[in-house]
Amino acid sequence: MESVRAVLIDIDGVLTVSWRPLPGTVEALREVREAGFGVLLVTNTTSRTRASIARTLAEAGFPVSAEDILTAPAATAAYLAEHCPGARCALLNSGDIAEDLDGVTVVEASDTEAVPDVVLVGGAGPEFGYEALDRAFGHLQRGARLVAMHRNLYWRTAEGLRLDSGAFLAGLERAAARVEAEITGKPARAFFASALARLGVGAQEAVMVGDDVESDVLAAQRAGVTGVLVRTGKFQPETLRTADGTPDHVIDSFADLPALLRGSAQQ
């Protein structure tokens, strides 16, 4: 931690829940910035664009702009440009993220003549009904690649935990036999590499703060980044006990991060 120069921060469940700031998080983020640390918000949120997220957070008092945010959809656009240039994509997602899918060709569901090259799965919502999932299954049966922005099983809202697309993704993989999704957001190592490159730091110079022990924290640690788990958002003690590894640090909330960073600097 003594060499840390930058902080990667998940948003939902760490800074906010249902886009409302958690206690002390606005002040903590300001303190982290004022201490000179580089900051990048890294999120698997697929219901909003970077610009929309930045506006909402800024209105809540967080010192951030769209340039401070890396979303799974934005990372997906870069991934497709590199690995599937010109691909026609059937998008299954809840929310309008077209702005962050720059350069991606999306085939409308109503275009029954089109044959997509990629089934692109975002975040779950009402759009994940039988007809849409069966249509995606048909595309996979005809040879389309399966690309997913994440495989989160659930997320935290003000009303409690809600089912996310990872549950449906597992079903598509099993049903389509021999198909494995290519993940572009967290926990993909490439996502963390992209975040570090944007901040201009090495893995050993960064810390990742998240509420998902697997996708946020342990995934970051496998990429060489120090992991900090917060006991907010989707955190559950049982999930931590049964995780595939141990976080480098566990704190009660993001509000405790400045003290953790200060303590390490003093050591």
Side-chain angles (χ1 to χ4, degrees):
M1 287 283 280
E2 291 84 354
S3 61
V4 170
R5 296 172 46 213
V7 183
L8 309 179
I9 309 164
D10 185 30
I11 300 174
D12 192 25
V14 177
L15 297 179
T16 67
V17 167
S18 294
W19 301 106
R20 292 193 289 272
L22 288 167
T25 57
V26 171
E27 297 78 7
L29 185 56
R30 289 188 181 279
E31 188 172 345
V32 169
R33 278 201 176 281
E34 290 168 1
F37 292 96
V39 169
L40 187 66
L41 309 188
V42 289
T43 176
N44 277 347
T45 296
T46 55
S47 60
R48 297 189 179 201
T49 63
R50 294 165 62 234
S52 172
I53 292 170
R55 283 194 300 271
T56 299
L57 293 179
E59 288 170 0
F62 290 102
V64 299
S65 66
E67 287 67 37
D68 298 317
I69 301 172
L70 176 62
T71 64
T76 299
Y79 179 89
L80 292 172
E82 179 180 355
H83 297 278
C84 316
R88 294 162 297 177
C89 301
L91 176 63
L92 181 55
N93 180 68
S94 185
D96 183 7
I97 54 172
E99 184 180 319
D100 279 358
L101 290 177
D102 185 42
V104 177
T105 301
V106 176
V107 175
E108 297 297 331
S110 58
D111 187 353
T112 57
E113 300 298 318
V115 181
D117 305 297
V118 172
V119 170
L120 183 57
V121 179
E127 295 82 355
F128 279 62
Y130 176 80
E131 184 177 351
L133 289 165
D134 187 54
R135 185 166 53 248
F137 172 64
H139 297 324
L140 296 174
Q141 287 288 291
R142 289 187 288 273
R145 295 170 67 166
L146 180 58
V147 176
M149 299 181 196
H150 60 75
R151 53 167 75 251
N152 294 354
L153 295 173
Y154 52 84
W155 80 98
R156 171 76 65 182
T157 71
E159 289 73 41
L161 296 178
R162 302 295 300 273
L163 193 65
D164 210 343
S165 55
F168 302 100
L169 186 63
L172 287 173
E173 289 176 319
R174 290 283 300 277
R178 298 185 301 280
V179 172
E180 184 174 350
E182 303 164 47
I183 308 300
T184 56
K186 296 176 293 181
R189 184 180 291 265
F191 184 87
F192 290 102
S194 177
L196 294 172
R198 289 187 57 169
L199 287 168
V201 299
Q204 74 283 359
E205 298 175 303
V207 61
M208 170 71 209
V209 186
D211 66 327
D212 188 315
V213 64
E214 296 288 350
S215 293
D216 291 337
V217 179
L218 298 182
Q221 291 178 193
R222 286 191 286 271
V225 177
T226 298
V228 178
L229 178 68
V230 294
R231 295 189 182 95
T232 57
K234 66 170 66 173
F235 170 82
Q236 297 184 82
E238 179 61 24
T239 304
L240 176 57
R241 284 193 295 271
T242 59
D244 289 335
T246 303
D248 293 316
H249 302 274
V250 180
I251 57 179
D252 286 337
S253 77
F254 184 80
D256 298 318
L257 183 68
L260 176 65
L261 294 173
R262 283 196 304 272
S264 297
Q266 290 168 0
Q267 291 174 14

